[in-house]
Amino acid sequence: MKNKTNSFWIFILILCISFLGFTNLFIGEISVSIKECFNALFNYDSNSLNQIILHELRIPRVSMAILAGAALAVSGLLMQTLFNNQLAGPYVLGLNSGASLFIGLSMLSGFYFFNTESGMLLSALIGAFILGAIMLICSMFIRSNISLLLIGIMLSSFINATINLLETFAEAEKLKGFFFWSMGSLQRVEFYQLFGITLIIFLAIMLSFLITKPLNTLVIGEKEAKSLGVNIKKVRFLCISITAILTGTITAFCGPIAFIGLAVPNLSKIIFKTQDHKKLLVVNVFLGAGFMLLCDMVIQLSNNFILIPINVLTSFIGAPFIIYLVIRKKS
Amino acid sequence: MTRIRMQPFFYDFMIFLVKSKKVYFIGLVLLFCSCNSKISKTKYFDKKQSITKHSKHLTIYEKQEGVYIHIKHPEIKNKTYRYFIPINQQSNSTDHQKIKTPINSMIVFSSTHIGMLSELNKTNVIKGVVSKKYVHNKNVIKGIESKKIIEFGEENQPSFEKIISSKAKLIMYSGFTDDFSKSTHLQKLGIHCIPNFDWKEPHPLGKLEWVLLFGYLTGTEKMAKIHVKEVTQKYNQLKKIASKSKTSKTVFSGNLVGEHWWAPGGNSYKAKLFKDAKCEYRYQKNRKKGSINMHFEKILIDNKNTNYWFNPGFKNKKLILQNNPKSIHFESFKNNNIFCYSHNKNKFWEVSACHPDYVLADLIQILHPDINLKRDLYFYKKINEK
Amino acid sequence: MIDFKEIEIGYNKTLFRVSDLKINKGEIFVLAGKNGIGKSTLLKTISGQIKPLKGKLIINDKSINRYNLKNMSQTCAIVNSSFSGIPYLTAKNYVSLGRTPHTNAWGQLNKKDEQAAVNCLKDISMLSFQDIFTNELSDGERQLLSIARAVCQDTPIILLDEPTAFLDYKNKQKIIQYLKSIAELKKKTILISSHDLDICTQEKLPFLVISKKEKKLKKLEKTDLKTILKEAFN
């Protein structure tokens, strides 16, 4: 009975995502036909403006919304379970900032390798991983949820201060590029990069399905999980690595995107009322993707009246939701 | 300023006093009358008599008793900063701040200010700047290096103590937010704080006229007037030459900042320059004075085939691509028709305000190959491949 | 079942010794001793989380050093002093987590596992609560559930670290009685560390006391309150 309603919901979610993703391709300054859309995907003609718009702007943007939503939601879920803290997420725990700092360092450094795509991706992954590890070490000494978040916020501001300090040493031009990057955008990705990003995100999400069993036991606490035969150290390492890959990749290509990783996993638990990570992972992939697509749609539709940066919208939705969660928990 | 804004209230109060027939308030009533005389005084300043002709925010009146300088706040309605430079020290003005000239020590918070002072050969009055990073003028750099000129950092929170110790008589600030912090305290100490809204001027010649402010303050007004007259003439000549050109190219400007493209509005300083250089700027019809921001999709649709791209904010193609890989789809990018002053920004910020003729000449030279001005590009440069 | 051979227990410094002691299958003991003397440390040593500083600890005829995480989780179940409940985790799912050491890599429950969980819930007469979220239950109910989870884990040994600490008198009694019954019926070896000496003596449970004076773990022959207090607290 219960399983049936769950699959029904997932079916609805998939329908929503297909609908949103598809319609988002048609919203914008110029209208395009379905045929052009098809051509832009499989039979690209780089002389037609409509096809350039589709191929270079809309398809990458919509795909990136799906990928970023899914990746950030999953990494948020992993963080929340690992830290046993419903307010954890890659953004609040500073994984984004870690990736930003390392990308900043690599962009501002003169080394050729770090200015290439793979160099930036690698440094983002390393940055996210290091921050994840630092937070994990802190979490071993601190039991209080709120303290851990405070440390995350402090670390983020510390990193931001470091980035500001870089300003005094770096060339203004390079720094400008970095600042623009750090504002977050779904539009920067190029068509040819999509395949690689999809592959990375897909593999990382698949990897997270392998640790659903230990994740389910981690829900009741590390001590208990250990007594149930779970190798905590291994799970921690895997969790942090997967999160670093997901968050790092998205941060490298889209810049930091706020709150999705925190809001979506909580939303998924509220809607589906389960702690089974197999279900939660599936749901988060779809819910995250749907949420980002919805945000993208709102942005595209409002383009003629007001330009909303993606981070502004996600923060507008995410921050009140977190306040709601905290209040709900207290009462 | 506040006094002026409060006048309607005073009227009401006066009527109330008259009605209530309280005689002992007559003294106060008289005081109000003296205030009212100011209203007739506003006619004393006729905009047509102003020394400035193009500026929107700066008006200067030369009268028998001295020079009146009015600086209108660009955003706050009815807010005007009023200054009076008397010819003999006895003359006074009730509603103008009196400034004793020539000022021989001042702190300036913008590169433009440095440029204008250097145009008048008065860089020696500079006692403080924002940072060496933003200076082009060699004398000023030398001054900073020999510690004669102090670096203050950002305009919004400069050190009060540093200001006092610099012994400056005047602070020229850009007024991005509101009044200069602690300006009332500083004024009590005899340090004038004067805002400079040249960056809000929509007309290049209006921006130029702010050099007059520096002229009157440093006692070099004659030189300033000659400079303004010459440059205005040259500018208008160039405009005429451009209008005779047979070529007409399309241009666009700005770059992607985060998710949005920032471009000069149709009524902005840069759009005006484009117009005077006789080219077709895509957003000329837009009414905005400042910047406009747009979605990249719109920019790409509008400007895919535009001939020239100005001011992308980066000095080479590689950096442009790093900021936005999709720049590659602009024809101007493919044809390498991108021009920018980024290779020497400080020079542009310092000199361009005093020399709109140089900027216009640059644009004409780039946009109209049929016109030979027999000079090299002064600010602009074709950006490098790498 | 549990065989102590000249063991010294502690983290870095020896807290106390266990000279020669054997706990057999189906035996239940209350572990008494003053705060900080090392009751939890002893339980951790038995469950393999920390190593004895000296001597040999043999569980089921096998030295503790030869157990890995999985073996240990199939041998020894642990119940902590409180379980605060998890939102959206149902009572049944919580008890089923006890099956983790027996399930495949995906953690899938087969029919046998499902049945075991249902049976454990029946034993504590909480089958009707199976779909209720654990954060909505009372403290006593939750503590019963954690014990049910340990029972569901199907291990020969169950270790309980002050399982009655945060409960009212009635619930304390209920839990001790329940533990006594599973030791008898299911032949499980149970070790309870506790400060609720009065209830434990009432239920006539045998005692292990960490003597304050001798720094040594002792089996007590007499189980009256006076003797225990004398040994444990001097």
PDB file of all heavy atoms in Angstrom, chain C residues 147-177:
ATOM      1  N   ILE C 147      15.670  -2.209  23.390  1.00  0.00           N
ATOM      2  CA  ILE C 147      15.994  -3.563  23.830  1.00  0.00           C
ATOM      3  C   ILE C 147      15.480  -4.570  22.799  1.00  0.00           C
ATOM      4  O   ILE C 147      16.179  -5.524  22.442  1.00  0.00           O
ATOM      5  CB  ILE C 147      15.422  -3.826  25.235  1.00  0.00           C
ATOM      6  CG1 ILE C 147      16.111  -2.893  26.237  1.00  0.00           C
ATOM      7  CG2 ILE C 147      15.652  -5.279  25.643  1.00  0.00           C
ATOM      8  CD1 ILE C 147      15.461  -2.843  27.585  1.00  0.00           C
ATOM      9  N   ALA C 148      14.270  -4.301  22.298  1.00  0.00           N
ATOM     10  CA  ALA C 148      13.714  -5.179  21.268  1.00  0.00           C
ATOM     11  C   ALA C 148      14.653  -5.226  20.065  1.00  0.00           C
ATOM     12  O   ALA C 148      14.869  -6.274  19.457  1.00  0.00           O
ATOM     13  CB  ALA C 148      12.339  -4.696  20.848  1.00  0.00           C
ATOM     14  N   ARG C 149      15.225  -4.066  19.721  1.00  0.00           N
ATOM     15  CA  ARG C 149      16.159  -4.023  18.588  1.00  0.00           C
ATOM     16  C   ARG C 149      17.377  -4.913  18.867  1.00  0.00           C
ATOM     17  O   ARG C 149      17.827  -5.673  18.016  1.00  0.00           O
ATOM     18  CB  ARG C 149      16.625  -2.593  18.346  1.00  0.00           C
ATOM     19  CG  ARG C 149      17.343  -2.414  17.030  1.00  0.00           C
ATOM     20  CD  ARG C 149      18.285  -1.239  17.082  1.00  0.00           C
ATOM     21  NE  ARG C 149      19.465  -1.591  17.854  1.00  0.00           N
ATOM     22  CZ  ARG C 149      20.151  -0.733  18.584  1.00  0.00           C
ATOM     23  NH1 ARG C 149      19.795   0.509  18.652  1.00  0.00           N
ATOM     24  NH2 ARG C 149      21.202  -1.137  19.254  1.00  0.00           N
ATOM     25  N   ALA C 150      17.882  -4.843  20.124  1.00  0.00           N
ATOM     26  CA  ALA C 150      19.030  -5.666  20.493  1.00  0.00           C
ATOM     27  C   ALA C 150      18.679  -7.148  20.437  1.00  0.00           C
ATOM     28  O   ALA C 150      19.475  -7.971  19.984  1.00  0.00           O
ATOM     29  CB  ALA C 150      19.506  -5.275  21.887  1.00  0.00           C
ATOM     30  N   VAL C 151      17.445  -7.452  20.865  1.00  0.00           N
ATOM     31  CA  VAL C 151      17.014  -8.852  20.820  1.00  0.00           C
ATOM     32  C   VAL C 151      16.910  -9.304  19.367  1.00  0.00           C
ATOM     33  O   VAL C 151      17.330 -10.398  18.987  1.00  0.00           O
ATOM     34  CB  VAL C 151      15.660  -9.033  21.549  1.00  0.00           C
ATOM     35  CG1 VAL C 151      15.140 -10.463  21.380  1.00  0.00           C
ATOM     36  CG2 VAL C 151      15.814  -8.705  23.025  1.00  0.00           C
ATOM     37  N   CYS C 152      16.382  -8.414  18.536  1.00  0.00           N
ATOM     38  CA  CYS C 152      16.197  -8.692  17.111  1.00  0.00           C
ATOM     39  C   CYS C 152      17.544  -8.943  16.428  1.00  0.00           C
ATOM     40  O   CYS C 152      17.625  -9.636  15.422  1.00  0.00           O
ATOM     41  CB  CYS C 152      15.478  -7.517  16.483  1.00  0.00           C
ATOM     42  SG  CYS C 152      14.822  -7.833  14.870  1.00  0.00           S
ATOM     43  N   GLN C 153      18.575  -8.352  16.986  1.00  0.00           N
ATOM     44  CA  GLN C 153      19.917  -8.517  16.415  1.00  0.00           C
ATOM     45  C   GLN C 153      20.367  -9.974  16.544  1.00  0.00           C
ATOM     46  O   GLN C 153      21.319 -10.396  15.899  1.00  0.00           O
ATOM     47  CB  GLN C 153      20.896  -7.576  17.145  1.00  0.00           C
ATOM     48  CG  GLN C 153      22.139  -7.245  16.345  1.00  0.00           C
ATOM     49  CD  GLN C 153      22.983  -6.174  17.040  1.00  0.00           C
ATOM     50  OE1 GLN C 153      22.456  -5.346  17.787  1.00  0.00           O
ATOM     51  NE2 GLN C 153      24.278  -6.198  16.804  1.00  0.00           N
ATOM     52  N   ASP C 154      19.651 -10.734  17.419  1.00  0.00           N
ATOM     53  CA  ASP C 154      19.839 -12.179  17.524  1.00  0.00           C
ATOM     54  C   ASP C 154      21.273 -12.550  17.896  1.00  0.00           C
ATOM     55  O   ASP C 154      21.913 -13.369  17.237  1.00  0.00           O
ATOM     56  CB  ASP C 154      19.432 -12.833  16.193  1.00  0.00           C
ATOM     57  CG  ASP C 154      19.167 -14.318  16.375  1.00  0.00           C
ATOM     58  OD1 ASP C 154      18.937 -14.726  17.530  1.00  0.00           O
ATOM     59  OD2 ASP C 154      19.222 -15.043  15.369  1.00  0.00           O
ATOM     60  N   THR C 155      21.775 -11.910  18.952  1.00  0.00           N
ATOM     61  CA  THR C 155      23.145 -12.198  19.391  1.00  0.00           C
ATOM     62  C   THR C 155      23.090 -12.966  20.701  1.00  0.00           C
ATOM     63  O   THR C 155      22.128 -12.824  21.471  1.00  0.00           O
ATOM     64  CB  THR C 155      23.900 -10.882  19.650  1.00  0.00           C
ATOM     65  OG1 THR C 155      23.118 -10.096  20.561  1.00  0.00           O
ATOM     66  CG2 THR C 155      24.118 -10.100  18.394  1.00  0.00           C
ATOM     67  N   PRO C 156      24.094 -13.794  20.993  1.00  0.00           N
ATOM     68  CA  PRO C 156      24.087 -14.504  22.274  1.00  0.00           C
ATOM     69  C   PRO C 156      24.286 -13.576  23.469  1.00  0.00           C
ATOM     70  O   PRO C 156      23.863 -13.896  24.561  1.00  0.00           O
ATOM     71  CB  PRO C 156      25.252 -15.484  22.142  1.00  0.00           C
ATOM     72  CG  PRO C 156      26.076 -14.992  21.017  1.00  0.00           C
ATOM     73  CD  PRO C 156      25.177 -14.234  20.110  1.00  0.00           C
ATOM     74  N   ILE C 157      24.935 -12.432  23.232  1.00  0.00           N
ATOM     75  CA  ILE C 157      25.217 -11.526  24.354  1.00  0.00           C
ATOM     76  C   ILE C 157      24.498 -10.188  24.133  1.00  0.00           C
ATOM     77  O   ILE C 157      24.495  -9.652  23.022  1.00  0.00           O
ATOM     78  CB  ILE C 157      26.735 -11.255  24.465  1.00  0.00           C
ATOM     79  CG1 ILE C 157      27.483 -12.572  24.673  1.00  0.00           C
ATOM     80  CG2 ILE C 157      27.038 -10.287  25.605  1.00  0.00           C
ATOM     81  CD1 ILE C 157      28.978 -12.458  24.517  1.00  0.00           C
ATOM     82  N   ILE C 158      23.905  -9.672  25.220  1.00  0.00           N
ATOM     83  CA  ILE C 158      23.345  -8.312  25.141  1.00  0.00           C
ATOM     84  C   ILE C 158      23.947  -7.493  26.284  1.00  0.00           C
ATOM     85  O   ILE C 158      23.909  -7.918  27.446  1.00  0.00           O
ATOM     86  CB  ILE C 158      21.806  -8.318  25.266  1.00  0.00           C
ATOM     87  CG1 ILE C 158      21.177  -9.110  24.120  1.00  0.00           C
ATOM     88  CG2 ILE C 158      21.273  -6.882  25.245  1.00  0.00           C
ATOM     89  CD1 ILE C 158      19.669  -9.205  24.202  1.00  0.00           C
ATOM     90  N   LEU C 159      24.513  -6.351  25.936  1.00  0.00           N
ATOM     91  CA  LEU C 159      25.101  -5.469  26.946  1.00  0.00           C
ATOM     92  C   LEU C 159      24.251  -4.216  27.049  1.00  0.00           C
ATOM     93  O   LEU C 159      23.898  -3.619  26.040  1.00  0.00           O
ATOM     94  CB  LEU C 159      26.533  -5.084  26.561  1.00  0.00           C
ATOM     95  CG  LEU C 159      27.487  -6.234  26.255  1.00  0.00           C
ATOM     96  CD1 LEU C 159      28.785  -5.692  25.698  1.00  0.00           C
ATOM     97  CD2 LEU C 159      27.740  -7.060  27.493  1.00  0.00           C
ATOM     98  N   LEU C 160      23.905  -3.841  28.282  1.00  0.00           N
ATOM     99  CA  LEU C 160      23.067  -2.646  28.450  1.00  0.00           C
ATOM    100  C   LEU C 160      23.767  -1.656  29.361  1.00  0.00           C
ATOM    101  O   LEU C 160      24.133  -1.979  30.487  1.00  0.00           O
ATOM    102  CB  LEU C 160      21.702  -3.024  29.024  1.00  0.00           C
ATOM    103  CG  LEU C 160      20.890  -4.014  28.196  1.00  0.00           C
ATOM    104  CD1 LEU C 160      21.030  -5.405  28.780  1.00  0.00           C
ATOM    105  CD2 LEU C 160      19.451  -3.608  28.090  1.00  0.00           C
ATOM    106  N   ASP C 161      23.964  -0.445  28.840  1.00  0.00           N
ATOM    107  CA  ASP C 161      24.658   0.593  29.603  1.00  0.00           C
ATOM    108  C   ASP C 161      23.609   1.505  30.248  1.00  0.00           C
ATOM    109  O   ASP C 161      23.048   2.374  29.592  1.00  0.00           O
ATOM    110  CB  ASP C 161      25.574   1.384  28.656  1.00  0.00           C
ATOM    111  CG  ASP C 161      26.567   2.213  29.441  1.00  0.00           C
ATOM    112  OD1 ASP C 161      26.506   2.197  30.682  1.00  0.00           O
ATOM    113  OD2 ASP C 161      27.396   2.878  28.804  1.00  0.00           O
ATOM    114  N   GLU C 162      23.362   1.284  31.516  1.00  0.00           N
ATOM    115  CA  GLU C 162      22.362   2.053  32.273  1.00  0.00           C
ATOM    116  C   GLU C 162      21.057   2.211  31.506  1.00  0.00           C
ATOM    117  O   GLU C 162      20.639   3.331  31.214  1.00  0.00           O
ATOM    118  CB  GLU C 162      22.929   3.416  32.661  1.00  0.00           C
ATOM    119  CG  GLU C 162      24.192   3.273  33.480  1.00  0.00           C
ATOM    120  CD  GLU C 162      24.588   4.577  34.166  1.00  0.00           C
ATOM    121  OE1 GLU C 162      23.722   5.423  34.374  1.00  0.00           O
ATOM    122  OE2 GLU C 162      25.773   4.708  34.483  1.00  0.00           O
ATOM    123  N   PRO C 163      20.398   1.127  31.182  1.00  0.00           N
ATOM    124  CA  PRO C 163      19.203   1.225  30.337  1.00  0.00           C
ATOM    125  C   PRO C 163      18.020   1.859  31.054  1.00  0.00           C
ATOM    126  O   PRO C 163      17.057   2.257  30.416  1.00  0.00           O
ATOM    127  CB  PRO C 163      18.899  -0.241  29.996  1.00  0.00           C
ATOM    128  CG  PRO C 163      19.460  -1.008  31.125  1.00  0.00           C
ATOM    129  CD  PRO C 163      20.673  -0.266  31.582  1.00  0.00           C
ATOM    130  N   THR C 164      18.088   1.960  32.377  1.00  0.00           N
ATOM    131  CA  THR C 164      16.915   2.464  33.099  1.00  0.00           C
ATOM    132  C   THR C 164      17.134   3.874  33.641  1.00  0.00           C
ATOM    133  O   THR C 164      16.298   4.403  34.366  1.00  0.00           O
ATOM    134  CB  THR C 164      16.590   1.522  34.276  1.00  0.00           C
ATOM    135  OG1 THR C 164      17.787   1.363  35.053  1.00  0.00           O
ATOM    136  CG2 THR C 164      16.121   0.175  33.798  1.00  0.00           C
ATOM    137  N   ALA C 165      18.263   4.478  33.270  1.00  0.00           N
ATOM    138  CA  ALA C 165      18.666   5.736  33.910  1.00  0.00           C
ATOM    139  C   ALA C 165      17.611   6.837  33.824  1.00  0.00           C
ATOM    140  O   ALA C 165      17.395   7.568  34.771  1.00  0.00           O
ATOM    141  CB  ALA C 165      19.973   6.223  33.312  1.00  0.00           C
ATOM    142  N   PHE C 166      16.964   6.963  32.665  1.00  0.00           N
ATOM    143  CA  PHE C 166      16.094   8.130  32.486  1.00  0.00           C
ATOM    144  C   PHE C 166      14.607   7.791  32.612  1.00  0.00           C
ATOM    145  O   PHE C 166      13.765   8.520  32.109  1.00  0.00           O
ATOM    146  CB  PHE C 166      16.367   8.770  31.129  1.00  0.00           C
ATOM    147  CG  PHE C 166      17.777   9.257  30.999  1.00  0.00           C
ATOM    148  CD1 PHE C 166      18.699   8.583  30.216  1.00  0.00           C
ATOM    149  CD2 PHE C 166      18.187  10.380  31.700  1.00  0.00           C
ATOM    150  CE1 PHE C 166      19.999   9.023  30.120  1.00  0.00           C
ATOM    151  CE2 PHE C 166      19.485  10.828  31.611  1.00  0.00           C
ATOM    152  CZ  PHE C 166      20.400  10.151  30.819  1.00  0.00           C
ATOM    153  N   LEU C 167      14.310   6.660  33.260  1.00  0.00           N
ATOM    154  CA  LEU C 167      12.909   6.236  33.283  1.00  0.00           C
ATOM    155  C   LEU C 167      12.283   6.402  34.667  1.00  0.00           C
ATOM    156  O   LEU C 167      12.980   6.532  35.676  1.00  0.00           O
ATOM    157  CB  LEU C 167      12.822   4.766  32.851  1.00  0.00           C
ATOM    158  CG  LEU C 167      13.361   4.472  31.462  1.00  0.00           C
ATOM    159  CD1 LEU C 167      13.219   2.992  31.158  1.00  0.00           C
ATOM    160  CD2 LEU C 167      12.652   5.296  30.410  1.00  0.00           C
ATOM    161  N   ASP C 168      10.945   6.368  34.716  1.00  0.00           N
ATOM    162  CA  ASP C 168      10.279   6.411  36.021  1.00  0.00           C
ATOM    163  C   ASP C 168      10.278   5.001  36.628  1.00  0.00           C
ATOM    164  O   ASP C 168      10.620   4.015  35.965  1.00  0.00           O
ATOM    165  CB  ASP C 168       8.870   6.986  35.889  1.00  0.00           C
ATOM    166  CG  ASP C 168       8.007   6.176  34.952  1.00  0.00           C
ATOM    167  OD1 ASP C 168       8.278   4.977  34.775  1.00  0.00           O
ATOM    168  OD2 ASP C 168       7.067   6.748  34.372  1.00  0.00           O
ATOM    169  N   TYR C 169       9.861   4.928  37.889  1.00  0.00           N
ATOM    170  CA  TYR C 169       9.981   3.681  38.644  1.00  0.00           C
ATOM    171  C   TYR C 169       9.293   2.520  37.935  1.00  0.00           C
ATOM    172  O   TYR C 169       9.844   1.437  37.776  1.00  0.00           O
ATOM    173  CB  TYR C 169       9.373   3.881  40.034  1.00  0.00           C
ATOM    174  CG  TYR C 169       9.613   2.710  40.951  1.00  0.00           C
ATOM    175  CD1 TYR C 169      10.814   2.583  41.631  1.00  0.00           C
ATOM    176  CD2 TYR C 169       8.645   1.728  41.098  1.00  0.00           C
ATOM    177  CE1 TYR C 169      11.050   1.505  42.454  1.00  0.00           C
ATOM    178  CE2 TYR C 169       8.869   0.640  41.905  1.00  0.00           C
ATOM    179  CZ  TYR C 169      10.069   0.530  42.588  1.00  0.00           C
ATOM    180  OH  TYR C 169      10.295  -0.558  43.390  1.00  0.00           O
ATOM    181  N   LYS C 170       8.067   2.778  37.471  1.00  0.00           N
ATOM    182  CA  LYS C 170       7.258   1.731  36.839  1.00  0.00           C
ATOM    183  C   LYS C 170       7.965   1.175  35.599  1.00  0.00           C
ATOM    184  O   LYS C 170       8.069  -0.036  35.404  1.00  0.00           O
ATOM    185  CB  LYS C 170       5.916   2.369  36.454  1.00  0.00           C
ATOM    186  CG  LYS C 170       4.768   1.402  36.246  1.00  0.00           C
ATOM    187  CD  LYS C 170       4.213   0.938  37.568  1.00  0.00           C
ATOM    188  CE  LYS C 170       3.391  -0.321  37.373  1.00  0.00           C
ATOM    189  NZ  LYS C 170       1.960   0.006  37.373  1.00  0.00           N
ATOM    190  N   ASN C 171       8.477   2.079  34.784  1.00  0.00           N
ATOM    191  CA  ASN C 171       9.157   1.661  33.557  1.00  0.00           C
ATOM    192  C   ASN C 171      10.464   0.929  33.845  1.00  0.00           C
ATOM    193  O   ASN C 171      10.825  -0.003  33.141  1.00  0.00           O
ATOM    194  CB  ASN C 171       9.425   2.869  32.661  1.00  0.00           C
ATOM    195  CG  ASN C 171       8.230   3.203  31.788  1.00  0.00           C
ATOM    196  OD1 ASN C 171       7.613   2.304  31.229  1.00  0.00           O
ATOM    197  ND2 ASN C 171       7.895   4.478  31.693  1.00  0.00           N
ATOM    198  N   LYS C 172      11.156   1.381  34.901  1.00  0.00           N
ATOM    199  CA  LYS C 172      12.397   0.706  35.293  1.00  0.00           C
ATOM    200  C   LYS C 172      12.101  -0.754  35.596  1.00  0.00           C
ATOM    201  O   LYS C 172      12.776  -1.670  35.107  1.00  0.00           O
ATOM    202  CB  LYS C 172      12.986   1.371  36.541  1.00  0.00           C
ATOM    203  CG  LYS C 172      13.708   2.659  36.263  1.00  0.00           C
ATOM    204  CD  LYS C 172      14.262   3.266  37.525  1.00  0.00           C
ATOM    205  CE  LYS C 172      14.688   4.682  37.167  1.00  0.00           C
ATOM    206  NZ  LYS C 172      15.683   5.292  37.916  1.00  0.00           N
ATOM    207  N   GLN C 173      11.047  -0.941  36.402  1.00  0.00           N
ATOM    208  CA  GLN C 173      10.666  -2.283  36.817  1.00  0.00           C
ATOM    209  C   GLN C 173      10.325  -3.135  35.601  1.00  0.00           C
ATOM    210  O   GLN C 173      10.781  -4.268  35.456  1.00  0.00           O
ATOM    211  CB  GLN C 173       9.445  -2.162  37.717  1.00  0.00           C
ATOM    212  CG  GLN C 173       9.406  -3.229  38.759  1.00  0.00           C
ATOM    213  CD  GLN C 173       8.266  -2.957  39.746  1.00  0.00           C
ATOM    214  OE1 GLN C 173       7.318  -2.233  39.445  1.00  0.00           O
ATOM    215  NE2 GLN C 173       8.356  -3.542  40.919  1.00  0.00           N
ATOM    216  N   LYS C 174       9.556  -2.539  34.696  1.00  0.00           N
ATOM    217  CA  LYS C 174       9.100  -3.250  33.500  1.00  0.00           C
ATOM    218  C   LYS C 174      10.302  -3.737  32.682  1.00  0.00           C
ATOM    219  O   LYS C 174      10.339  -4.867  32.206  1.00  0.00           O
ATOM    220  CB  LYS C 174       8.262  -2.274  32.672  1.00  0.00           C
ATOM    221  CG  LYS C 174       7.271  -2.930  31.732  1.00  0.00           C
ATOM    222  CD  LYS C 174       6.350  -1.842  31.204  1.00  0.00           C
ATOM    223  CE  LYS C 174       5.682  -2.241  29.927  1.00  0.00           C
ATOM    224  NZ  LYS C 174       4.954  -1.111  29.333  1.00  0.00           N
ATOM    225  N   ILE C 175      11.285  -2.847  32.539  1.00  0.00           N
ATOM    226  CA  ILE C 175      12.441  -3.176  31.703  1.00  0.00           C
ATOM    227  C   ILE C 175      13.279  -4.271  32.338  1.00  0.00           C
ATOM    228  O   ILE C 175      13.692  -5.230  31.677  1.00  0.00           O
ATOM    229  CB  ILE C 175      13.259  -1.896  31.430  1.00  0.00           C
ATOM    230  CG1 ILE C 175      12.462  -1.074  30.439  1.00  0.00           C
ATOM    231  CG2 ILE C 175      14.674  -2.216  30.957  1.00  0.00           C
ATOM    232  CD1 ILE C 175      13.184  -0.147  29.592  1.00  0.00           C
ATOM    233  N   ILE C 176      13.491  -4.168  33.648  1.00  0.00           N
ATOM    234  CA  ILE C 176      14.296  -5.194  34.329  1.00  0.00           C
ATOM    235  C   ILE C 176      13.602  -6.552  34.221  1.00  0.00           C
ATOM    236  O   ILE C 176      14.235  -7.574  33.918  1.00  0.00           O
ATOM    237  CB  ILE C 176      14.510  -4.800  35.808  1.00  0.00           C
ATOM    238  CG1 ILE C 176      15.327  -3.506  35.906  1.00  0.00           C
ATOM    239  CG2 ILE C 176      15.194  -5.927  36.577  1.00  0.00           C
ATOM    240  CD1 ILE C 176      16.763  -3.607  35.473  1.00  0.00           C
ATOM    241  N   GLN C 177      12.265  -6.538  34.396  1.00  0.00           N
ATOM    242  CA  GLN C 177      11.526  -7.800  34.300  1.00  0.00           C
ATOM    243  C   GLN C 177      11.634  -8.400  32.900  1.00  0.00           C
ATOM    244  O   GLN C 177      11.827  -9.606  32.736  1.00  0.00           O
ATOM    245  CB  GLN C 177      10.051  -7.569  34.648  1.00  0.00           C
ATOM    246  CG  GLN C 177       9.815  -7.556  36.141  1.00  0.00           C
ATOM    247  CD  GLN C 177       8.448  -6.989  36.504  1.00  0.00           C
ATOM    248  OE1 GLN C 177       7.678  -6.587  35.622  1.00  0.00           O
ATOM    249  NE2 GLN C 177       8.158  -6.946  37.797  1.00  0.00           N
TER     250      GLN C 177
END
